[in-house]
Amino acid sequence: MEFFLKYLSDELNNIKEEGLYKSERVISSSQSTTIDVNRSDVLNFCANNYLGLSNNPMLIKAAKEGIDKWGFGLSSVRFICGTQEIHKTLEEKISGFLHQEDTILYTSCFDANGGLFETLLGSNDAIISDALNHASIIDGVRLSKAKRFRYPNSDMNALEQMLKDSQDCRTRLITTDGVFSMDGYVARLDDICNLAEKYNALVHVDDSHATGFFGKSGRGSVEYKNVIDRVHIITSTLGKALGGASGGFTSGKKEIIDMLRQRSRPYLFSNTVAPAIVCASIAAIDLISNSSNLIDKLNENTNYFRNSMKDIGFDIKDGVHPIVPVMIYDAKKAQLIASDMLDEGVYVIGFSFPVVPKGEARIRVQLSALHSKEEIDIALSAFEKAGHKHEVIQY
Ligand SMILES: *Cc1c(COP(=O)(O)O)cnc(C)c1O
């Protein structure tokens, strides 16, 4: 025991020495565009709260009514005594929203991905995965016995070569994030679907950074790239735009979803999603389906911020997504800028190796529909001031 604890503390010290130790800032308010962290009323530009629903009164009301009517929890997995009418309702709502035949809920998208590949694919099959896919896809793929191929991010030539190399496999599944979270890049889903059709492969998209707000009516990158009827499996989260609590799901053809209900281990052996979350998620999808106001406002904010940052002279990764990577390149500078900005009352986070490649440190800004123009202007001036101080932009 002594030996083992010594080993752990040495490892932890190494992590600290490499500057990779993550400490958690403690928030003493609810999640919103202004939060209390270190000081009160800090403007928050680093949550996945794309539509500002984390603290939305309609969702909170739905969650409270959900507790009153359906109780706090089910103390059961779905197939024993953990399925209520609301679980069925939410699954149907998600299927309708995403134009898919059926949907299965999980307690997280991490679990949805963890229980996907192993259940559907065996040693005669192949999984072809984008190198920048989320950790939960990587772990899910590891659990499966299928052959594994990995193509460099969005490299369609490499993907095509792998489709050729795997022709003898029974089923090939291409798996990709819909939006890559460190760059805000959208996957080339139209090209991927073309290749999948040419080589008779299936397509899985994890749309966690897109469901609810991206694409014309918020159906995600699959809508933005106009492939909603051409992909075969969509996984996503309830923990980002759709209220930000927790929970995830898999949508697709009914045979696929039915098989997941029979065999997917994180579904079979983990507790059902709590009623308050289910009821609030139903309200979230209704809200998005009934009005595009929040989506429009988010797009307006994203365009305004992206254009203004370019005008100020910052180097940002091109795109249209509310994830805006502000490229600083130098890891130390990125930390210093983030820290200076917090002193100015603007909360942003610097990302460096190993989360992003060496020499590509950045500050990742995330816009929300709830940010006002005045609040974005405050962030822009704080960026400008810190950018000059650390010589990232010139006068
Ligand atoms: C956030 C995220 C997840 C994890 O979602 P949870 O519901 O929090 O487990 C999975 N995949 C992608 C692409 C994500 O961005």
Side-chain angles (χ1 to χ4, degrees):
M1 182 67 181
E2 287 295 300
F3 171 81
F4 183 59
L5 294 183
K6 168 86 170 59
Y7 158 77
L8 290 182
S9 75
D10 287 348
E11 275 299 292
L12 285 164
N13 281 334
N14 288 342
I15 295 175
K16 280 180 191 155
E17 268 160 33
E18 287 169 43
L20 302 176
Y21 191 84
K22 291 175 205 59
S23 36
E24 299 168 355
R25 287 214 174 85
V26 178
I27 298 176
S28 41
S29 64
S30 60
Q31 182 64 282
S32 190
T33 49
T34 50
I35 53 173
D36 298 346
V37 49
N38 286 12
R39 48 178 267 187
S40 58
D41 291 335
V42 171
L43 285 173
N44 187 2
F45 281 89
C46 53
N48 299 313
N49 191 15
Y50 295 110
L51 297 176
L53 296 185
S54 305
N55 201 18
N56 178 283
M58 276 165 64
L59 265 67
I60 291 172
K61 181 161 169 280
K64 283 181 178 163
E65 287 172 2
I67 289 194
D68 287 343
K69 173 147 191 216
W70 300 97
F72 178 63
L74 269 296
S75 304
S76 170
V77 299
R78 286 287 294 276
F79 82 95
I80 299 181
C81 55
T83 301
Q84 294 170 317
E85 288 158 24
I86 47 174
H87 295 90
K88 288 293 177 195
T89 304
L90 177 57
E91 286 172 342
E92 278 161 29
K93 289 249 175 214
I94 294 171
S95 302
F97 186 68
L98 294 178
H99 301 201
Q100 304 298 315
E101 287 180 5
D102 200 0
T103 294
I104 176 174
L105 294 176
Y106 288 83
T107 44
S108 69
C109 184
F110 205 106
D111 277 351
N113 289 332
L116 180 69
F117 305 96
E118 174 199 40
T119 308
L120 297 178
L121 303 168
S123 51
N124 299 333
D125 304 314
I127 301 165
I128 310 179
S129 180
D130 189 289
L132 285 193
N133 279 343
H134 189 264
S136 54
I137 294 184
I138 296 171
D139 284 11
V141 169
R142 275 188 194 145
L143 290 172
S144 134
K145 294 198 170 64
K147 290 198 184 67
R148 300 171 204 168
F149 295 82
R150 199 172 76 134
Y151 59 93
N153 180 231
S154 293
D155 183 337
M156 295 296 109
N157 292 330
L159 171 57
E160 179 156 24
Q161 190 56 51
M162 288 167 190
L163 285 163
K164 285 179 181 156
D165 294 344
S166 58
Q167 299 261 32
D168 56 335
C169 294
R170 182 184 57 178
T171 302
R172 276 90 55 76
L173 176 66
I174 304 168
T175 176
T176 182
D177 283 14
V179 172
F180 297 96
S181 65
M182 283 301 139
D183 299 307
Y185 289 161
V186 185
R188 296 172 60 176
L189 296 177
D190 37 359
D191 297 328
I192 290 174
C193 287
N194 288 343
L195 286 172
E197 282 156 20
K198 182 169 170 194
Y199 291 94
N200 199 19
L202 301 179
V203 178
H204 160 236
V205 178
D206 176 348
D207 232 357
S208 292
H209 276 289
T211 305
F213 64 95
F214 199 62
K216 197 157 175 288
S217 57
R219 265 98 178 145
S221 66
V222 289
E223 180 183 37
Y224 181 79
K225 289 287 188 180
N226 204 14
V227 295
I228 201 161
D229 301 314
R230 295 172 73 196
V231 300
H232 305 92
I233 303 169
I234 299 172
T235 56
S236 193
T237 184
L238 302 171
K240 289 183 172 119
L242 296 175
S246 63
F249 59 84
T250 305
S251 295
K253 292 266 179 252
K254 68 179 183 331
E255 292 82 356
I256 293 177
I257 303 307
D258 207 15
M259 183 54 81
L260 293 173
R261 280 192 213 285
Q262 302 310 310
R263 298 256 173 89
S264 183
R265 294 165 69 83
Y267 181 80
L268 290 174
F269 299 105
S270 188
N271 201 24
T272 190
V273 182
I277 294 177
V278 174
C279 291
S281 303
I282 292 170
I285 292 181
D286 284 344
L287 194 155
I288 296 162
S289 305
N290 292 335
S291 158
S292 66
N293 286 351
L294 290 173
I295 295 169
D296 297 343
K297 184 66 181 8
L298 176 59
N299 284 332
E300 197 182 299
N301 284 349
T302 300
N303 289 337
Y304 178 63
F305 182 80
R306 281 181 171 274
N307 290 333
S308 308
M309 285 296 279
K310 278 191 232 163
D311 289 345
I312 293 172
F314 278 101
D315 180 8
I316 64 174
K317 292 232 178 206
D318 273 337
V320 291
H321 195 274
I323 289 173
V324 186
V326 181
M327 300 308 293
I328 310 296
Y329 300 102
D330 181 281
K332 283 231 167 63
K333 268 191 192 176
Q335 300 304 337
L336 290 172
I337 291 176
S339 149
D340 282 359
M341 291 193 53
L342 188 56
D343 292 341
E344 299 278 318
V346 178
Y347 190 21
V348 289
I349 296 284
F351 289 87
S352 49
F353 184 79
V355 182
V356 295
K358 275 209 168 99
E360 287 194 34
R362 67 200 62 184
I363 290 175
R364 185 180 71 169
V365 173
Q366 290 172 284
L367 281 304
S368 166
L370 277 202
H371 287 132
S372 66
K373 181 163 178 298
E374 292 70 31
E375 288 170 334
I376 297 174
D377 283 336
I378 292 172
L380 289 167
S381 351
F383 262 116
E384 190 166 14
K385 189 168 161 192
H388 284 309
K389 178 173 162 193
H390 297 283
E391 298 177 333
V392 173
I393 52 173
Q394 320 304 327
Y395 282 102

